[in-house]
Coordinates of all heavy atoms in Angstrom, one line a residue:
M1 N 291.6 44.2 150.8 CA 290.2 44.8 150.6 C 289.5 44.7 151.9 O 289.4 43.6 152.5 CB 289.5 44.1 149.5 CG 288.1 44.7 149.3 SD 287.3 43.9 147.9 CE 287.2 45.2 146.8
A2 N 288.8 45.7 152.4 CA 288.1 45.7 153.7 C 286.8 44.9 153.5 O 286.2 45.0 152.4 CB 287.8 47.1 154.1
R3 N 286.4 44.2 154.5 CA 285.1 43.5 154.5 C 284.0 44.5 154.7 O 284.1 45.5 155.4 CB 285.1 42.5 155.6 CG 286.1 41.4 155.4 CD 285.9 40.5 156.7 NE 286.1 39.1 156.2 CZ 285.8 38.1 156.9 NH1 285.4 38.2 158.1 NH2 286.0 36.9 156.4
P4 N 282.8 44.2 154.2 CA 281.6 45.0 154.5 C 281.3 45.1 156.0 O 281.6 44.1 156.7 CB 280.5 44.4 153.8 CG 281.2 43.4 152.7 CD 282.5 43.1 153.4
V5 N 280.8 46.2 156.4 CA 280.5 46.4 157.8 C 279.6 45.3 158.3 O 279.8 44.8 159.5 CB 279.9 47.8 158.1 CG1 279.5 48.0 159.5 CG2 281.0 48.9 157.7
A6 N 278.6 45.0 157.6 CA 277.6 44.0 158.1 C 278.3 42.6 158.3 O 277.9 42.0 159.3 CB 276.5 43.8 157.0
T7 N 279.3 42.2 157.6 CA 280.0 41.0 157.8 C 280.8 41.1 159.1 O 280.8 40.2 159.9 CB 280.9 40.7 156.6 OG1 280.1 40.6 155.4 CG2 281.6 39.4 156.8
N8 N 281.4 42.2 159.3 CA 282.2 42.4 160.5 C 281.3 42.3 161.8 O 281.6 41.7 162.7 CB 283.0 43.7 160.5 CG 284.2 43.6 159.5 OD1 284.6 42.5 159.2 ND2 284.6 44.7 159.0
R9 N 280.2 43.0 161.6 CA 279.3 43.0 162.8 C 278.6 41.7 163.0 O 278.5 41.3 164.1 CB 278.1 44.1 162.5 CG 278.5 45.5 162.7 CD 277.4 46.4 162.5 NE 277.8 47.8 162.6 CZ 277.2 48.8 162.3 NH1 276.0 48.7 161.8 NH2 277.6 50.0 162.5
A10 N 278.3 41.0 161.9 CA 277.8 39.6 162.1 C 278.8 38.7 162.7 O 278.4 37.9 163.6 CB 277.4 39.1 160.7
G11 N 280.1 38.9 162.3 CA 281.1 38.0 162.9 C 281.4 38.3 164.4 O 281.4 37.4 165.2
I12 N 281.3 39.6 164.7 CA 281.5 40.0 166.1 C 280.3 39.5 166.9 O 280.5 39.0 168.0 CB 281.7 41.5 166.2 CG1 283.0 42.0 165.6 CG2 281.5 42.0 167.6 CD1 283.2 43.4 165.4
R13 N 279.1 39.6 166.4 CA 278.0 39.2 167.2 C 278.0 37.6 167.3 O 277.7 37.2 168.4 CB 276.7 39.5 166.3 CG 275.4 39.1 167.0 CD 274.2 39.3 166.2 NE 273.0 38.8 166.9 CZ 271.9 39.4 167.0 NH1 271.7 40.6 166.4 NH2 270.9 38.9 167.7
K14 N 278.4 36.9 166.4 CA 278.6 35.5 166.5 C 279.5 35.1 167.6 O 279.3 34.2 168.4 CB 278.9 34.9 165.1 CG 278.8 33.4 165.1 CD 279.0 32.9 163.6 CE 278.5 31.5 163.5 NZ 278.5 31.0 162.1
L15 N 280.7 35.8 167.6 CA 281.7 35.5 168.6 C 281.2 35.9 170.0 O 281.4 35.1 171.0 CB 283.0 36.3 168.3 CG 283.8 35.9 167.1 CD1 284.9 36.9 166.9 CD2 284.4 34.5 167.5
L16 N 280.5 37.0 170.1 CA 279.9 37.4 171.4 C 278.9 36.4 171.9 O 278.8 36.1 173.1 CB 279.4 38.8 171.3 CG 280.4 40.0 171.3 CD1 279.7 41.3 171.0 CD2 281.2 40.0 172.5
E17 N 278.1 36.0 171.0 CA 277.0 35.0 171.4 C 277.6 33.6 171.8 O 277.2 33.1 172.7 CB 276.0 34.8 170.2 CG 275.1 36.0 170.1 CD 274.1 35.9 168.9 OE1 274.3 35.0 168.0 OE2 273.1 36.7 168.9
A18 N 278.7 33.2 171.1 CA 279.3 32.0 171.5 C 280.0 32.1 172.9 O 279.9 31.2 173.7 CB 280.4 31.7 170.5
K19 N 280.6 33.3 173.2 CA 281.2 33.5 174.5 C 280.1 33.6 175.6 O 280.2 33.0 176.7 CB 282.0 34.8 174.5 CG 282.7 35.1 175.7 CD 283.7 34.1 176.0 CE 284.6 34.5 177.2 NZ 285.6 33.5 177.6
L20 N 279.0 34.3 175.3 CA 277.9 34.3 176.2 C 277.3 33.0 176.5 O 277.1 32.7 177.7 CB 276.7 35.2 175.6 CG 275.5 35.3 176.4 CD1 275.7 36.0 177.7 CD2 274.4 36.0 175.6
L21 N 277.2 32.1 175.6 CA 276.7 30.8 175.8 C 277.6 30.0 176.6 O 277.2 29.3 177.6 CB 276.4 30.1 174.4 CG 276.0 28.6 174.5 CD1 274.6 28.5 175.3 CD2 275.9 28.0 173.1
A22 N 278.9 30.1 176.3 CA 279.9 29.3 177.1 C 279.9 29.8 178.5 O 280.0 29.0 179.5 CB 281.3 29.6 176.5
V23 N 279.9 31.1 178.8 CA 279.8 31.6 180.2 C 278.5 31.2 180.9 O 278.6 30.8 182.1 CB 279.9 33.1 180.2 CG1 279.7 33.7 181.6 CG2 281.4 33.5 179.7
T24 N 277.4 31.3 180.3 CA 276.2 30.9 180.9 C 276.2 29.4 181.2 O 275.7 29.0 182.3 CB 275.0 31.1 180.0 OG1 275.0 32.5 179.6 CG2 273.7 30.9 180.6
Q25 N 276.7 28.5 180.3 CA 276.8 27.1 180.6 C 277.7 26.9 181.8 O 277.4 26.1 182.7 CB 277.4 26.4 179.3 CG 276.4 26.3 178.2 CD 277.0 25.8 176.9 OE1 278.1 25.9 176.7 NE2 276.1 25.2 176.0
K26 N 278.8 27.5 181.8 CA 279.8 27.4 182.9 C 279.1 27.8 184.3 O 279.3 27.0 185.3 CB 281.1 28.2 182.7 CG 282.1 28.1 183.8 CD 283.3 28.9 183.5 CE 284.3 28.7 184.7 NZ 285.4 29.6 184.6
L27 N 278.5 28.9 184.3 CA 277.8 29.4 185.5 C 276.7 28.4 186.0 O 276.6 28.1 187.1 CB 277.2 30.8 185.3 CG 278.2 31.9 185.2 CD1 277.5 33.2 184.8 CD2 279.1 32.0 186.4
T28 N 276.0 27.9 185.0 CA 274.9 26.9 185.4 C 275.5 25.7 186.1 O 275.0 25.2 187.1 CB 274.1 26.5 184.1 OG1 273.6 27.7 183.5 CG2 273.0 25.5 184.4
M29 N 276.5 25.1 185.5 CA 277.2 23.9 186.1 C 277.9 24.2 187.3 O 277.9 23.4 188.3 CB 278.1 23.3 185.0 CG 277.4 22.9 183.7 SD 275.8 22.1 183.9 CE 276.2 20.6 184.7
E30 N 278.4 25.4 187.5 CA 279.1 25.8 188.7 C 278.0 25.9 189.9 O 278.3 25.5 191.0 CB 279.9 27.1 188.6 CG 280.5 27.6 189.8 CD 281.7 26.7 190.3 OE1 282.3 25.9 189.5 OE2 282.1 26.8 191.5
A31 N 276.9 26.6 189.5 CA 275.8 26.7 190.5 C 275.3 25.3 190.9 O 275.1 25.1 192.1 CB 274.7 27.5 189.8
D32 N 275.2 24.4 190.0 CA 274.7 23.1 190.3 C 275.7 22.4 191.3 O 275.3 21.8 192.3 CB 274.6 22.2 189.0 CG 274.1 20.9 189.3 OD1 273.0 20.6 189.9 OD2 274.8 19.9 188.9
A33 N 277.0 22.5 191.0 CA 278.0 21.9 191.9 C 278.0 22.5 193.2 O 278.0 21.8 194.3 CB 279.4 21.9 191.2
R34 N 277.9 23.8 193.3 CA 278.0 24.5 194.6 C 276.7 24.2 195.5 O 276.9 24.0 196.7 CB 278.2 26.0 194.4 CG 279.6 26.4 194.0 CD 279.7 27.9 194.0 NE 279.7 28.3 195.4 CZ 280.7 29.0 195.9 NH1 281.8 29.2 195.3 NH2 280.7 29.4 197.2
L35 N 275.6 24.2 194.8 CA 274.4 23.9 195.6 C 274.4 22.4 196.1 O 273.9 22.2 197.2 CB 273.1 24.2 194.7 CG 272.9 25.6 194.4 CD1 271.8 25.8 193.4 CD2 272.5 26.3 195.7
K36 N 274.9 21.5 195.3 CA 275.0 20.1 195.8 C 275.9 20.1 197.0 O 275.6 19.4 198.0 CB 275.5 19.2 194.7 CG 274.5 18.9 193.6 CD 275.0 18.1 192.5 CE 274.0 17.9 191.5 NZ 274.5 17.2 190.3
L37 N 277.1 20.7 196.9 CA 278.0 20.7 198.1 C 277.5 21.4 199.3 O 277.7 20.9 200.4 CB 279.3 21.3 197.6 CG 280.2 20.5 196.7 CD1 281.4 21.3 196.3 CD2 280.6 19.2 197.4
A38 N 276.7 22.4 199.1 CA 276.2 23.2 200.2 C 274.9 22.6 200.8 O 274.5 23.1 201.9 CB 276.0 24.6 199.8
S39 N 274.3 21.7 200.2 CA 273.0 21.2 200.6 C 273.1 20.4 201.9 O 274.1 19.7 202.2 CB 272.5 20.1 199.6 OG 272.1 20.7 198.4
P40 N 272.1 20.6 202.8 CA 272.1 19.9 204.0 C 271.9 18.4 203.7 O 271.2 18.1 202.8 CB 270.9 20.5 204.8 CG 270.1 21.2 203.8 CD 271.0 21.5 202.7
V41 N 272.5 17.6 204.5 CA 272.4 16.1 204.2 C 271.9 15.4 205.4 O 272.4 15.5 206.6 CB 273.8 15.5 203.8 CG1 273.7 14.0 203.6 CG2 274.3 16.2 202.6
D42 N 270.8 14.6 205.2 CA 270.3 13.7 206.2 C 270.5 12.3 205.7 O 271.4 11.6 206.1 CB 268.8 14.0 206.5 CG 268.2 13.0 207.5 OD1 268.9 12.5 208.3 OD2 266.9 12.9 207.5
D43 N 269.8 12.0 204.7 CA 269.9 10.7 204.0 C 270.5 10.8 202.6 O 270.7 9.9 201.9 CB 268.6 9.9 204.0 CG 267.5 10.6 203.2 OD1 267.8 11.6 202.5 OD2 266.3 10.2 203.2
G44 N 270.8 12.1 202.1 CA 271.4 12.3 200.9 C 270.4 12.5 199.7 O 270.8 12.9 198.6
E45 N 269.1 12.3 200.0 CA 268.1 12.4 198.9 C 268.0 13.9 198.3 O 268.0 14.0 197.1 CB 266.7 12.0 199.5 CG 265.6 12.2 198.5 CD 264.2 11.8 199.0 OE1 264.1 11.6 200.2 OE2 263.3 11.9 198.2
F46 N 268.0 14.8 199.2 CA 267.9 16.2 198.7 C 269.1 16.6 197.9 O 269.0 17.1 196.8 CB 267.8 17.2 200.0 CG 267.7 18.6 199.6 CD1 266.6 19.1 199.0 CD2 268.8 19.5 199.8 CE1 266.5 20.5 198.6 CE2 268.7 20.8 199.4 CZ 267.6 21.3 198.9
R47 N 270.3 16.2 198.4 CA 271.5 16.6 197.6 C 271.6 15.8 196.2 O 271.9 16.4 195.2 CB 272.8 16.1 198.4 CG 274.0 16.5 197.6 CD 275.3 16.1 198.5 NE 275.6 17.2 199.3 CZ 276.5 17.2 200.3 NH1 277.3 16.2 200.4 NH2 276.7 18.3 201.1
A48 N 271.1 14.6 196.2 CA 271.0 13.9 194.9 C 269.9 14.4 194.0 O 270.0 14.1 192.8 CB 270.8 12.4 195.2
A49 N 269.0 15.1 194.5 CA 267.9 15.5 193.6 C 268.1 16.8 192.8 O 267.3 17.2 192.0 CB 266.6 15.7 194.5
W50 N 269.3 17.4 193.0 CA 269.6 18.6 192.2 C 269.7 18.2 190.7 O 270.3 17.2 190.4 CB 270.8 19.3 192.6 CG 270.7 20.1 193.9 CD1 271.1 19.7 195.1 CD2 270.0 21.3 194.1 NE1 270.8 20.6 196.1 CE2 270.1 21.6 195.5 CE3 269.4 22.2 193.3 CZ2 269.6 22.8 196.0 CZ3 268.9 23.4 193.8 CH2 269.0 23.6 195.1
T51 N 269.1 19.0 189.9 CA 269.3 18.8 188.4 C 269.7 20.2 187.8 O 269.4 21.2 188.3 CB 267.9 18.4 187.8 OG1 266.9 19.4 188.0 CG2 267.4 17.1 188.3
A52 N 270.4 20.0 186.7 CA 270.8 21.2 186.0 C 270.6 21.1 184.5 O 270.8 20.0 183.9 CB 272.3 21.5 186.2
Q53 N 270.1 22.2 183.9 CA 269.8 22.2 182.5 C 270.6 23.4 181.9 O 270.2 24.5 182.1 CB 268.3 22.3 182.2 CG 268.0 22.2 180.7 CD 266.5 22.3 180.5 OE1 265.7 22.5 181.4 NE2 266.0 22.2 179.3
S54 N 271.6 23.0 181.2 CA 272.5 24.0 180.6 C 271.9 24.6 179.4 O 271.3 23.8 178.6 CB 273.9 23.4 180.4 OG 274.9 24.4 180.5
P55 N 272.0 25.8 179.1 CA 271.4 26.4 177.8 C 272.1 25.8 176.6 O 273.3 25.4 176.7 CB 271.7 27.9 177.9 CG 272.8 28.0 178.9 CD 272.7 26.9 179.9
T56 N 271.5 25.8 175.5 CA 272.0 25.3 174.2 C 272.1 26.4 173.2 O 272.7 26.2 172.2 CB 271.2 24.2 173.7 OG1 269.8 24.6 173.4 CG2 271.2 22.9 174.6
K57 N 271.5 27.6 173.5 CA 271.5 28.7 172.6 C 271.9 30.0 173.3 O 271.5 30.1 174.6 CB 270.2 28.9 171.9 CG 269.8 27.7 171.1 CD 268.4 28.0 170.5 CE 267.8 26.7 169.8 NZ 266.4 26.9 169.5
P58 N 272.5 31.0 172.7 CA 272.7 32.2 173.4 C 271.4 32.8 173.8 O 270.4 32.6 173.2 CB 273.3 33.2 172.3 CG 273.8 32.2 171.3 CD 273.0 31.0 171.4
Y59 N 271.4 33.5 175.0 CA 270.3 34.2 175.6 C 269.3 33.3 176.3 O 268.3 33.7 176.8 CB 269.5 35.1 174.5 CG 270.4 36.1 173.8 CD1 270.7 35.8 172.5 CD2 271.1 37.1 174.4 CE1 271.6 36.7 171.8 CE2 272.0 37.9 173.8 CZ 272.2 37.7 172.5 OH 273.1 38.5 171.8
E60 N 269.5 31.9 176.3 CA 268.8 31.1 177.0 C 269.3 31.1 178.5 O 270.4 31.3 178.7 CB 268.8 29.6 176.5 CG 268.0 29.3 175.3 CD 268.1 27.9 174.9 OE1 269.0 27.1 175.4 OE2 267.3 27.5 174.1
K61 N 268.4 30.8 179.4 CA 268.7 30.7 180.8 C 269.2 29.3 181.1 O 268.7 28.3 180.6 CB 267.6 31.0 181.7 CG 267.1 32.4 181.6 CD 265.9 32.7 182.5 CE 265.2 34.0 182.2 NZ 264.1 34.2 183.0
G62 N 270.2 29.1 182.1 CA 270.4 27.9 182.7 C 269.4 27.6 183.8 O 269.0 28.6 184.4
I63 N 269.2 26.4 184.0 CA 268.2 26.1 185.1 C 268.8 25.0 186.0 O 269.3 24.0 185.6 CB 266.9 25.5 184.5 CG1 266.2 26.5 183.5 CG2 265.9 25.1 185.5 CD1 265.1 25.9 182.7
V64 N 268.7 25.4 187.3 CA 269.2 24.5 188.4 C 268.0 24.3 189.3 O 267.4 25.3 189.8 CB 270.4 25.0 189.1 CG1 270.8 24.0 190.2 CG2 271.5 25.2 188.2
G65 N 267.6 23.1 189.6 CA 266.4 22.9 190.4 C 266.5 21.7 191.3 O 267.4 20.8 191.1
N66 N 265.6 21.7 192.3 CA 265.5 20.5 193.1 C 264.0 20.3 193.4 O 263.3 21.2 194.0 CB 266.2 20.8 194.4 CG 266.3 19.5 195.3 OD1 265.3 18.8 195.5 ND2 267.5 19.3 195.8
N67 N 263.4 19.2 193.0 CA 262.0 19.1 193.2 C 261.6 18.2 194.3 O 260.4 17.7 194.3 CB 261.4 18.6 191.9 CG 261.8 17.2 191.4 OD1 262.6 16.6 192.1 ND2 261.3 16.7 190.3
T68 N 262.4 18.0 195.4 CA 261.9 17.2 196.5 C 260.9 18.0 197.2 O 260.8 19.3 197.1 CB 263.1 16.9 197.5 OG1 263.7 18.1 197.9 CG2 264.2 16.0 196.8
E69 N 260.0 17.3 197.9 CA 258.9 18.0 198.5 C 259.3 19.0 199.7 O 258.6 19.9 200.0 CB 257.9 17.0 199.1 CG 258.5 16.1 200.2 CD 257.5 15.1 200.6 OE1 257.0 14.3 199.7 OE2 257.1 15.0 201.8
Y70 N 260.5 18.8 200.2 CA 261.0 19.7 201.3 C 262.0 20.6 200.8 O 262.7 21.2 201.7 CB 261.5 18.8 202.4 CG 262.3 17.6 202.0 CD1 263.8 17.8 201.9 CD2 261.8 16.4 201.8 CE1 264.6 16.8 201.5 CE2 262.6 15.4 201.3 CZ 264.0 15.6 201.3 OH 264.8 14.5 200.9
A71 N 262.1 20.8 199.5 CA 263.1 21.8 199.0 C 262.9 23.2 199.5 O 263.8 23.9 199.9 CB 263.1 21.7 197.5
V72 N 261.6 23.7 199.4 CA 261.3 25.1 199.9 C 261.6 25.2 201.4 O 262.3 26.2 201.8 CB 259.9 25.4 199.5 CG1 259.5 26.8 200.1 CG2 259.7 25.5 198.0
P73 N 261.2 24.3 202.3 CA 261.5 24.5 203.7 C 263.1 24.6 203.9 O 263.6 25.4 204.7 CB 260.9 23.4 204.4 CG 259.8 23.0 203.5 CD 260.2 23.2 202.1
L74 N 263.8 23.7 203.2 CA 265.3 23.7 203.3 C 265.9 25.0 202.8 O 266.8 25.5 203.4 CB 265.9 22.5 202.7 CG 265.7 21.1 203.3 CD1 266.3 19.9 202.5 CD2 266.3 21.1 204.7
A75 N 265.3 25.4 201.7 CA 265.8 26.7 201.2 C 265.6 27.8 202.1 O 266.3 28.9 202.2 CB 265.2 27.0 199.8
N76 N 264.5 27.8 202.9 CA 264.2 28.8 203.9 C 264.8 28.7 205.2 O 264.4 29.4 206.2 CB 262.7 28.9 204.0 CG 262.0 29.4 202.7 OD1 262.6 30.2 202.0 ND2 260.8 28.9 202.4
G77 N 265.7 27.7 205.4 CA 266.5 27.6 206.6 C 266.0 26.6 207.6 O 266.2 26.7 208.8
H78 N 265.1 25.7 207.1 CA 264.5 24.7 208.1 C 265.6 23.8 208.7 O 265.4 23.3 209.9 CB 263.5 23.8 207.3 CG 262.8 22.8 208.2 ND1 261.9 23.1 209.1 CD2 263.0 21.5 208.2 CE1 261.5 22.0 209.7 NE2 262.1 20.9 209.1
S79 N 266.7 23.6 208.1 CA 267.8 22.8 208.6 C 268.8 23.6 209.3 O 269.3 24.6 208.8 CB 268.4 21.9 207.5 OG 269.6 21.3 207.9
P80 N 269.3 23.1 210.5 CA 270.4 23.8 211.1 C 271.8 23.8 210.3 O 272.7 24.5 210.5 CB 270.6 23.2 212.5 CG 269.8 21.9 212.4 CD 268.8 22.0 211.3
Q81 N 271.8 22.8 209.4 CA 272.9 22.7 208.5 C 273.0 23.7 207.4 O 274.1 24.0 206.8 CB 273.0 21.3 207.8 CG 273.1 20.1 208.7 CD 273.1 18.8 207.9 OE1 273.6 18.8 206.8 NE2 272.4 17.8 208.5
A82 N 271.9 24.4 207.2 CA 271.8 25.4 206.0 C 270.9 26.5 206.5 O 269.7 26.3 206.4 CB 271.4 24.7 204.8
P83 N 271.4 27.6 206.9 CA 270.5 28.7 207.3 C 269.7 29.3 206.1 O 270.1 29.2 204.9 CB 271.5 29.8 207.9 CG 272.8 29.4 207.2 CD 272.8 28.0 206.9
A84 N 268.7 30.1 206.5 CA 267.9 30.8 205.4 C 268.9 31.6 204.6 O 269.8 32.3 205.1 CB 266.9 31.7 206.1
G85 N 268.6 31.6 203.3 CA 269.4 32.4 202.4 C 270.7 31.6 201.8 O 271.4 32.2 201.0
W86 N 270.9 30.4 202.2 CA 272.0 29.7 201.7 C 272.0 29.5 200.2 O 273.1 29.6 199.6 CB 272.2 28.3 202.5 CG 271.2 27.3 202.2 CD1 270.0 27.1 202.7 CD2 271.2 26.3 201.2 NE1 269.3 26.1 202.2 CE2 270.1 25.6 201.2 CE3 272.2 25.9 200.3 CZ2 269.8 24.4 200.4 CZ3 272.0 24.8 199.4 CH2 270.8 24.1 199.5
I87 N 270.9 29.3 199.6 CA 270.9 29.2 198.2 C 271.3 30.5 197.5 O 272.1 30.5 196.6 CB 269.5 28.7 197.7 CG1 269.3 27.2 198.1 CG2 269.4 28.8 196.1 CD1 267.9 26.6 197.7
E88 N 270.7 31.6 197.9 CA 271.1 32.9 197.4 C 272.5 33.2 197.6 O 273.2 33.7 196.6 CB 270.2 34.0 198.0 CG 268.7 34.0 197.6 CD 267.9 32.9 198.5 OE1 268.5 32.3 199.4 OE2 266.7 32.8 198.2
N89 N 273.1 32.8 198.7 CA 274.5 33.0 198.9 C 275.4 32.3 198.0 O 276.4 32.8 197.5 CB 274.9 32.7 200.4 CG 274.3 33.6 201.4 OD1 273.8 34.8 201.1 ND2 274.1 33.2 202.6
E90 N 275.0 31.0 197.7 CA 275.8 30.2 196.8 C 275.7 30.8 195.4 O 276.7 30.8 194.7 CB 275.3 28.8 196.8 CG 275.6 28.0 198.1 CD 277.1 28.0 198.4 OE1 277.9 27.8 197.5 OE2 277.5 28.0 199.6
L91 N 274.5 31.2 195.0 CA 274.3 31.7 193.6 C 275.1 33.1 193.5 O 275.7 33.3 192.4 CB 272.9 31.9 193.3 CG 272.1 30.6 193.2 CD1 270.6 30.9 192.9 CD2 272.7 29.6 192.2
T92 N 275.1 33.9 194.5 CA 275.8 35.1 194.5 C 277.3 34.8 194.3 O 278.0 35.5 193.6 CB 275.5 36.0 195.8 OG1 274.1 36.3 195.8 CG2 276.4 37.3 195.7
A93 N 277.8 33.8 195.1 CA 279.2 33.5 195.0 C 279.6 33.0 193.6 O 280.7 33.3 193.1 CB 279.5 32.4 196.0
V94 N 278.7 32.3 192.9 CA 279.0 31.8 191.6 C 279.1 33.0 190.6 O 280.0 33.0 189.8 CB 277.8 30.9 191.1 CG1 277.9 30.6 189.6 CG2 277.9 29.6 191.9
V95 N 278.2 33.9 190.7 CA 278.2 35.1 189.8 C 279.4 35.9 190.1 O 280.1 36.4 189.1 CB 276.9 35.9 190.0 CG1 277.0 37.2 189.2 CG2 275.7 35.1 189.5
K96 N 279.8 36.1 191.4 CA 281.0 36.9 191.7 C 282.3 36.1 191.4 O 283.4 36.8 191.4 CB 281.0 37.3 193.1 CG 279.9 38.3 193.4 CD 280.0 38.8 194.9 CE 279.0 39.9 195.2 NZ 279.2 40.4 196.6
G97 N 282.2 34.8 191.2 CA 283.4 34.1 190.9 C 284.2 33.7 192.2 O 285.4 33.5 192.1
N98 N 283.5 33.7 193.3 CA 284.2 33.3 194.6 C 284.3 31.8 194.8 O 283.5 31.0 194.4 CB 283.4 33.9 195.8 CG 283.4 35.4 195.7 OD1 284.3 36.1 195.1 ND2 282.5 36.0 196.4

């Protein structure tokens, strides 16, 4: 006997949402790892200050951040170890799977 359409749709939606959540969690953690590795290092404080908050529900965003007082200058290329745009380049690589 065939299942009602609503049940099939609900099941498909649940599977898609689970996959979306898994992919978003993976991308968040990959972004965190890549940003840590690409961070310019003087004393290690900036690299150690990266934090990641992985989503817990479908459609939530993952958050990766660094709240050191010099994060913005470093993101804008203040260090010769990391040119301007290095954060965007790392995030683009994560999304592309490079």
Side-chain angles (χ1 to χ4, degrees):
M1 178 180 245
R3 294 178 141 190
V5 174
T7 302
N8 288 337
R9 285 185 181 165
I12 290 170
R13 181 182 176 140
K14 194 171 191 173
L15 288 172
L16 288 173
E17 287 178 343
K19 184 66 172 176
L20 174 64
L21 178 59
V23 168
T24 306
Q25 289 172 332
K26 180 180 177 188
L27 290 174
T28 301
M29 300 318 293
E30 179 68 20
D32 180 56
R34 287 188 70 118
L35 289 169
K36 285 176 181 173
L37 288 174
S39 292
V41 177
D42 180 23
D43 60 10
E45 180 183 0
F46 180 72
R47 180 176 279 178
W50 285 105
T51 60
Q53 185 178 4
S54 209
T56 58
K57 298 176 187 171
Y59 310 109
E60 283 185 344
K61 296 177 185 177
I63 300 169
V64 179
N66 189 313
N67 65 358
T68 57
E69 64 185 57
Y70 46 89
V72 173
L74 286 176
N76 291 327
H78 181 71
S79 170
Q81 295 179 39
W86 67 274
I87 291 177
E88 292 83 359
N89 292 340
E90 291 300 324
L91 296 177
T92 298
V94 168
V95 172
K96 288 184 173 181
N98 295 340

